[in-house]
Amino acid sequence: MASRSAAVDVLADVVGWSGLPKWQPDWEVTERLLGLALPDDYKALLDTVPMGEYAGTVSMNAPTLRGHEGDLLALFREVMLSLKSGRKKPYAAFPELPGLIPWAEFDHPMGGTLFWLADEGNPNSWPVVAWGADGNWEEYDVGAVGFLIALVRGKLPSKLLAPKPGAPAYRTSQDLPGAPNNTGR
């Protein structure tokens, strides 16, 4: 379990989450499969706030689903294949470094994927990169939690992502049928 951070506490407060996740990712397995450590804020977030949807637009799942427990890249298999095929992209795909590692999807207004631009340095310094379905890219000099805080507060400087009007700041998906549970809660 990753240690809580002040930023995760801020995000949990902003979105009104005070419960406990029903799935605790096994970060040792996830990082071993990836061959890299992941950002601490991302791990602390999923250890504190369960998978769900932020601002009606960003969907975040734990690396647990579809028979590939702990495999973050398997969760985004099609996206990774798209990055490696077709026209040249402005960023390389992991395992090339620096390269993109996906961590969430968004669907408003155009849709797309959120990545870290991973390198061999400190994962807590990896910027977030958005790739829109329209082929546009944006880079943010914040981590996953800082990105989500800005999004739900309506302060994310983006042409690709915006809070969906009328959507709640956060909606958990841990109680949906078929959602993983390894804590017995």
Side-chain angles (χ1 to χ4, degrees):
M1 180 176 217
S3 60
R4 297 240 346 216
S5 71
V8 169
D9 289 339
V10 167
L11 181 60
D13 187 54
V14 167
V15 302
W17 180 258
S18 61
L20 296 169
K22 293 181 179 178
W23 179 269
Q24 292 293 303
D26 186 334
W27 296 116
E28 187 177 309
V29 169
T30 300
E31 291 175 333
R32 181 178 44 78
L33 290 170
L34 199 58
L36 285 176
L38 290 169
D40 292 332
D41 70 334
Y42 170 76
K43 294 185 291 188
L45 175 61
L46 285 173
D47 284 344
T48 306
V49 181
M51 55 190 168
E53 184 179 79
Y54 291 85
T57 184
V58 170
S59 297
M60 200 162 114
N61 286 312
T64 60
L65 305 175
R66 298 183 200 96
H68 299 284
E69 188 172 318
D71 192 343
L72 186 61
L73 296 179
L75 192 59
F76 293 94
R77 187 171 314 283
E78 280 99 38
V79 169
M80 294 305 290
L81 290 171
S82 293
L83 280 176
K84 295 174 183 178
S85 66
R87 297 183 355 205
K88 184 167 172 45
K89 312 288 189 294
Y91 301 93
F94 182 81
E96 189 175 327
L97 294 176
L100 297 175
I101 298 174
W103 60 273
E105 298 171 314
F106 62 93
D107 63 18
H108 178 78
M110 288 295 297
T113 306
L114 296 172
F115 303 89
W116 294 288
L117 181 55
D119 59 24
E120 294 173 353
N122 182 350
N124 298 317
S125 299
W126 294 346
V128 170
V129 174
W131 180 26
D134 59 359
N136 286 313
W137 296 85
E138 292 180 348
E139 187 172 327
Y140 311 89
D141 194 23
V142 296
V145 173
F147 178 91
L148 292 171
I149 290 170
L151 174 70
V152 298
R153 286 183 167 167
K155 297 182 188 263
L156 185 69
S158 175
K159 293 180 181 176
L160 295 176
L161 291 106
K164 188 175 184 178
Y170 170 76
R171 187 178 66 204
T172 181
S173 58
Q174 78 173 2
D175 297 321
L176 296 175
N181 182 339
N182 68 353
T183 63
R185 292 184 189 117

